């Protein structure tokens, strides 16, 4: 391939063009969603750039010690970036962030029709060791003409309009679903644009990988313990599954989406409701999994059917390849029969 010619390719599908194409299928669309999304994308680019410089900032004194203030923690900075980007889009009315105790209600003059729930920097404890971290987001639409209330956000995940994550790793990858399949985009640093590199992602029906923190095994319930045992010592003559656990949800889910398998963060005696937050971790990732042909289960029900009562509520989660999650659902059903 002629690389000189390649550098001048004009047929690249950018995320902006992609979203505009999607929107054009809906004659009633006013372009608001595209504008909102372009602000989320801008936030992702900014955070990506900050994450890449994080190690250097300490080293060369870019940390702003000159004015006597400590360098802002990256997760706090990321949160500010996304809040400002979302408010300034004038398309949002309620924001729920992992970093903020209370929901943010956007002032009336900048208000729009969308609620955005997000974790600005998931896995941020991994920053110093170079492990992939990311931003997770979900978008709801409020009922027209009504004053926004917290109930507009406390909706089941199946009501989400769109969801996605941006992973800051060896490359900057944004995975998005607007309810018609899942697409992956990679940031081309020379263009400053996200380019469609993974069109129509479909998760394999069955995978060879399981992903869980086995350090919690002594506190697991019966079905979780049985499933992991089955992964390691299959009784049907098949090969054992491989264990892969990064401990950064975005990275673990990204691998699960592309290679198949199952990611689990079950409830245990120490965390009876699991550890992951419903609105901005469980819902967006479950939405993406289902859109890619996988499943997501809480141990009791389909994850997207869950109705959250509080904005920072937690839930156990089992998500990934359809057949693998089906096995987990069967183990929980069998346990219920016994009771």
């Amino acid at each position: 391939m002629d690389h000189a010619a390649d550098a001048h390719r004009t047929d690249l599908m950018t995320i902006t063009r992609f979203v505009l194409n999607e929107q054009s299928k809906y004659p009633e669309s006013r372009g608001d969603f595209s504008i909102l999304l372009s602000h989320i994308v801008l936030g992702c680019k900014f955070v990506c750039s900050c994450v890449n410089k994080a190690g250097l900032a300490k080293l060369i004194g870019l940390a702003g010690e000159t004015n006597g203030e400590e360098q802002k923690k990256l997760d706090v900075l990321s949160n500010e970036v996304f809040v400002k980007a979302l408010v300034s889009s004038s398309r949002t009315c309620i924001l729920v962030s992992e970093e903020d105790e209370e929901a943010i209600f956007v002032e009336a003059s900048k208000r729009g029709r969308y609620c955005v729930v997000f974790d600005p920097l998931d896995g941020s404890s991994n920053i110093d060791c170079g492990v992939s971290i990311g931003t997770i987001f979900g978008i709801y639409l409020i009922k027209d003409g009504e004053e926004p209330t917290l109930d507009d956000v406390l909706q089941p995940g199946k009501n989400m309009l769109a969801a996605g994550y941006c992973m800051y790793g060896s490359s900057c990858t944004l995975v998005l679903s607007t309810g018609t399949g899942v697409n992956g985009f990679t940031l081309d640093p020379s263009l400053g644009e996200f380019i469609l590199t993974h069109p129509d992602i479909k998760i394999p029906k069955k995978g060879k990988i399981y992903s869980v923190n086995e350090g919690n095994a002594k506190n697991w319930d019966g079905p979780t313990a049985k499933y992991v045992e089955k992964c390691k010592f299959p009784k049907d003559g098949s090969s054992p599954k491989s264990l892969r656990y990064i401990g950064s949800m975005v990275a673990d889910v990204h691998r699960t989406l592309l290679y198949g398998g199952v990611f689990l963060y079950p409830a245990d005696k120490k965390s009876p409701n699991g550890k992951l937050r419903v609105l901005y971790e469980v819902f967006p990732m479950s939405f993406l999994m289902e859109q890619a042909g996988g499943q997501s289960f809480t141990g009791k029900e389909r994850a997207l059917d869950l109705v959250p009562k509080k904005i920072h509520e937690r839930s156990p989660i089992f998500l990934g390849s359809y057949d693998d999650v089906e096995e987990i659902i069967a183990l929980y059903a069998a346990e219920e029969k016994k009771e």
Side-chain angles (χ1 to χ4, degrees):
M1 193 178 197
D2 179 355
H3 285 287
D6 190 36
H8 299 292
R9 277 175 57 192
T10 52
D11 60 345
L12 295 174
M13 175 62 84
T14 65
I15 193 163
T16 314
R17 194 168 127 204
F18 180 85
V19 171
L20 287 169
N21 284 358
E22 285 285 289
Q23 289 298 286
S24 65
K25 296 174 194 163
Y26 307 100
E28 74 285 0
S29 114
R30 305 191 304 213
D32 285 355
F33 183 72
S34 314
I35 291 168
L36 172 62
L37 225 90
S38 68
H39 280 74
I40 291 175
V41 166
L42 182 63
C44 291
K45 288 179 189 172
F46 190 92
V47 171
C48 177
S49 151
C50 295
V51 167
N52 288 340
K53 295 187 196 128
L56 285 172
K58 288 197 192 82
L59 200 65
I60 20 188
L62 298 175
E65 302 93 336
T66 45
N67 54 7
E69 65 173 50
E70 272 292 286
Q71 181 190 10
K72 270 194 187 133
K73 282 257 184 291
L74 213 45
D75 43 8
V76 176
L77 177 71
S78 307
N79 188 45
E80 284 180 16
V81 166
F82 277 102
V83 170
K84 283 185 179 141
L86 291 165
V87 171
S88 69
S89 74
S90 299
R91 298 297 182 277
T92 58
C93 52
I94 308 174
L95 309 178
V96 172
S97 166
E98 194 266 344
E99 288 286 323
D100 293 313
E101 193 102 351
E102 304 288 331
I104 296 169
F105 286 83
V106 179
E107 57 177 282
S109 63
K110 292 186 176 155
R111 207 174 276 168
R113 303 182 300 156
Y114 297 100
C115 305
V116 183
V117 293
F118 60 100
D119 186 342
L121 206 57
D122 189 74
S124 51
S125 60
N126 287 314
I127 291 167
D128 291 338
C129 61
V131 168
S132 295
I133 52 185
T135 300
I136 309 172
F137 61 90
I139 301 171
Y140 290 106
L141 185 62
I142 65 159
K143 297 173 198 72
D144 248 352
E146 292 187 20
E147 194 64 22
T149 67
L150 216 44
D151 287 343
D152 288 311
V153 180
L154 297 174
Q155 298 188 52
K158 63 184 173 192
N159 293 359
M160 270 184 179
L161 205 66
Y165 59 81
C166 186
M167 186 172 75
Y168 315 111
S170 49
S171 60
C172 182
T173 311
L174 197 148
V175 174
L176 173 71
S177 174
T178 56
T180 51
V182 181
N183 291 279
F185 303 82
T186 304
L187 185 63
D188 180 335
S190 63
L191 294 172
E193 284 281 10
F194 279 100
I195 307 296
L196 180 63
T197 48
H198 296 71
D200 198 22
I201 298 170
K202 288 276 177 264
I203 185 170
K205 200 154 185 316
K206 194 168 175 52
K208 298 188 174 77
I209 296 172
Y210 73 105
S211 185
V212 63
N213 181 352
E214 290 217 36
N216 294 331
K218 80 178 180 86
N219 293 316
W220 285 345
D221 63 14
T224 299
K226 272 196 195 106
Y227 180 73
V228 171
E229 188 70 7
K230 206 167 148 190
C231 289
K232 299 198 273 196
F233 304 98
K235 301 269 196 295
D236 59 2
S238 61
S239 300
K241 290 190 191 303
S242 294
L243 167 67
R244 297 281 182 273
Y245 188 70
I246 299 164
S248 174
M249 189 194 192
V250 174
D252 278 313
V253 170
H254 187 64
R255 182 203 54 249
T256 306
L257 197 56
L258 296 183
Y259 300 166
V262 65
F263 168 83
L264 37 153
Y265 207 118
D268 59 36
K269 293 187 189 101
K270 243 180 17 191
S271 314
N273 298 318
K275 272 292 265 294
L276 298 176
R277 316 287 187 145
V278 173
L279 274 183
Y280 41 78
E281 290 176 322
V282 170
F283 279 171
M285 294 313 202
S286 302
F287 187 91
L288 291 165
M289 275 301 160
E290 285 199 8
Q291 285 291 323
Q295 287 202 79
S296 185
F297 178 64
T298 65
K300 291 191 174 74
E301 60 187 326
R302 171 191 175 210
L304 293 179
D305 287 342
L306 187 69
V307 182
K309 309 251 187 322
K310 301 196 297 284
I311 60 173
H312 296 298
E313 195 171 308
R314 301 172 194 264
S315 166
I317 187 70
F318 307 83
L319 54 76
S321 292
Y322 195 93
D323 291 356
D324 294 328
V325 177
E326 199 60 38
E327 274 185 50
I328 295 170
I329 293 172
L331 287 168
Y332 273 94
E335 180 88 353
E336 222 168 82
K337 272 207 187 92
K338 277 197 306 201
E339 285 168 11

